[in-house]
Amino acid sequence: MVVGVLEELHIPYMVVGSFASGAYGEPRMTQDIDIVVELRYGDAESLCKRFAPPDFYVEPESIRQAIHTCGQFNIIHGASGNKIDLMLLHDSPWNAKQFERRQRLEIVEGCQASVAKPEDVILSKMLWYKEGGSEKHLRDIAGILKISGDQVDHDYVAAWSKRLEVEDVWEAVQRRVQKK
């Protein structure tokens, strides 16, 4: 539903995180959906109208603040407790590159969406791992390499992992996958 609204409102986006890694690798249960968006201030009101109470909770001011700071905000579905994390597109060479490379993919049966490419999902997961140390990110990467490894541009990941300073994580993940 969220991607449908973003598309109707002509808001550029890409699905990242667990939904994206599950599309290329081994799906896992998650209570949130991570989406990178390119928003303008005028989009805040439209989003709030589409995700209105009582079904949804979103703070208009949090959207405006996220746009101003290039941060993130949440949309929460009250009945299920599911959370949609919308992260503003950062102005950096890698963020621009991954947003440019996004592709259409079926993320759940009957639902096509713009999704980060597998290499960029891997790189993001390595950055999140480096930031927080959660093993789930390494498992997600291993799942992508196990299921879609022949489709992954390893040279692209190696080059960007060096630029993003996660080369050690990339080498460790590759060793882990080769052992299995």
Side-chain angles (χ1 to χ4, degrees):
M1 173 191 182
V2 175
V3 297
V5 169
L6 294 172
E7 289 177 2
E8 287 173 26
L9 296 175
H10 304 287
I11 297 172
Y13 74 92
M14 74 177 167
V15 176
V16 295
S18 299
F19 261 80
S21 66
Y24 299 113
E26 297 173 333
R28 66 175 166 84
M29 285 299 296
T30 181
Q31 286 292 101
D32 70 342
I33 300 169
D34 299 318
I35 301 175
V36 174
V37 292
E38 191 172 41
L39 289 180
R40 299 172 308 273
Y41 284 102
D43 296 325
E45 186 177 329
S46 299
L47 278 172
C48 287
K49 284 181 183 175
R50 296 301 298 271
F51 296 103
D55 295 329
F56 295 95
Y57 174 79
V58 62
E59 276 290 324
E61 184 53 35
S62 69
I63 297 174
R64 287 188 285 277
Q65 183 68 20
I67 294 169
H68 180 71
T69 63
C70 206
Q72 72 177 42
F73 65 96
N74 304 357
I75 298 172
I76 300 170
H77 182 249
S80 67
N82 288 337
K83 184 175 68 149
I84 301 132
D85 293 326
L86 293 143
M87 300 163 280
L88 276 287
L89 179 64
H90 289 258
D91 185 23
S92 76
W94 180 64
N95 287 312
K97 184 72 169 174
Q98 69 171 324
F99 205 71
E100 171 190 305
R101 288 169 32 91
R102 69 191 190 273
Q103 64 184 356
R104 297 293 290 176
L105 193 67
E106 187 172 74
I107 56 170
V108 293
E109 191 174 330
C111 179
Q112 290 269 326
S114 294
V115 180
K117 292 197 88 173
E119 298 86 1
D120 297 315
V121 175
I122 289 169
L123 289 161
S124 293
K125 291 281 183 181
M126 288 192 295
L127 288 167
W128 290 330
Y129 173 76
K130 186 174 182 178
E131 184 179 302
S134 175
E135 279 288 314
K136 69 182 176 183
H137 300 303
L138 298 182
R139 285 192 304 272
D140 288 345
I141 296 167
I144 293 170
L145 294 172
K146 178 181 169 188
I147 305 295
S148 302
D150 58 335
Q151 299 167 29
V152 173
D153 182 343
H154 290 249
D155 292 336
Y156 176 91
V157 176
W160 277 102
S161 69
K162 187 172 186 171
R163 287 179 72 178
L164 297 170
E165 299 178 354
V166 290
E167 192 173 24
D168 56 330
V169 179
W170 176 234
E171 291 168 1
V173 168
Q174 288 182 93
R175 283 193 302 273
R176 177 185 285 195
V177 170
Q178 290 170 353
K179 287 181 183 178
K180 292 184 179 186

